[in-house]
Amino acid sequence: MNDPALISVSHAERFYRVAFHLLEDRQDAEDAVQELYIRLHAAVRNGKAPKNMTAYAMSVLKNICIDTMRRRMVRKAETVDERIPLEDPLPDSRMASKDMLERLMTEMDKLPDPQARILKMKALEGLDYKEISERTGLSQVHVRVLVSMARKTLKRKTGL
């Protein structure tokens, strides 16, 4: 059974059912079976036909279906990306963000000194706990506690 032409009509129907089960679309399933037969003929022409053509065909069909599903996912992702605006946010949302930031900075300045100083190092300067510990002489655990306390206080006061 090294000739794809020898794969019977019942095989073609089975291939279609498998493709339809995987792809859940009539046209895609038909295209997958057609692609399968093209690849089977190419394998025979190149002298690379396997001993068990049916098993080989099922394996190739599965791979064709997987490729089709991947292409669908890429198309879906591209469609979603096209719907996401690339322009700047609306002026109102920029103003709201600016107001929130100002409110947050005002409340940050009202924190007790070690909390405010350490939170600014962490949030504004982007330092990690080790660097803050080295600069302040406090343990890393103490720095974490102060950052946590400062964040909780800000969250409570600002509602953010």
Side-chain angles (χ1 to χ4, degrees):
M1 184 179 239
N2 282 343
D3 185 2
L6 297 177
I7 295 181
S8 68
V9 174
S10 65
H11 283 94
E13 290 171 3
R14 186 168 47 163
F15 295 148
Y16 172 79
R17 282 194 313 270
V18 168
F20 185 81
H21 175 75
L22 292 171
L23 299 173
E24 299 175 342
D25 182 79
R26 183 187 60 79
Q27 186 63 46
D28 284 345
E30 289 173 0
D31 291 346
V33 172
Q34 184 176 11
E35 177 68 23
L36 169 67
Y37 276 97
I38 290 169
R39 290 188 189 183
L40 292 177
H41 280 285
V44 169
R45 242 189 351 263
N46 295 331
K48 296 181 180 176
K51 291 179 184 175
N52 188 342
M53 185 64 83
T54 305
Y56 174 74
M58 279 296 185
S59 179
V60 170
L61 180 63
K62 179 189 74 157
N63 291 332
I64 292 169
C65 291
I66 289 170
D67 290 343
T68 302
M69 289 184 281
R70 284 183 181 147
R71 281 192 298 275
R72 275 188 201 160
M73 289 173 58
V74 167
R75 278 189 298 243
K76 257 186 199 176
E78 288 171 352
T79 304
V80 169
D81 287 345
E82 289 170 3
R83 287 187 257 153
I84 298 173
L86 297 177
E87 50 216 43
D88 288 338
L90 298 173
D92 292 342
S93 64
R94 283 195 307 250
M95 286 301 292
S97 296
K98 186 177 177 183
D99 290 343
M100 281 191 295
L101 182 59
E102 287 176 5
R103 197 168 104 211
L104 191 59
M105 293 303 291
T106 302
E107 291 300 324
M108 192 183 289
D109 289 337
K110 293 178 185 177
L111 290 171
D113 179 48
Q115 287 181 17
R117 188 167 39 97
I118 289 173
L119 186 60
K120 286 178 183 176
M121 286 181 187
K122 178 74 176 147
L124 302 178
E125 295 178 33
L127 300 176
D128 64 15
Y129 294 112
K130 183 180 179 186
E131 292 171 320
I132 296 170
S133 175
E134 290 170 357
R135 280 193 184 182
T136 61
L138 301 171
S139 71
Q140 287 186 36
V141 173
H142 193 199
V143 170
R144 287 178 192 266
V145 168
L146 290 172
V147 169
S148 177
M149 288 171 46
R151 286 178 176 162
K152 285 179 185 175
T153 303
L154 288 176
K155 189 173 186 176
R156 188 179 68 247
K157 288 185 177 184
T158 62
L160 300 176

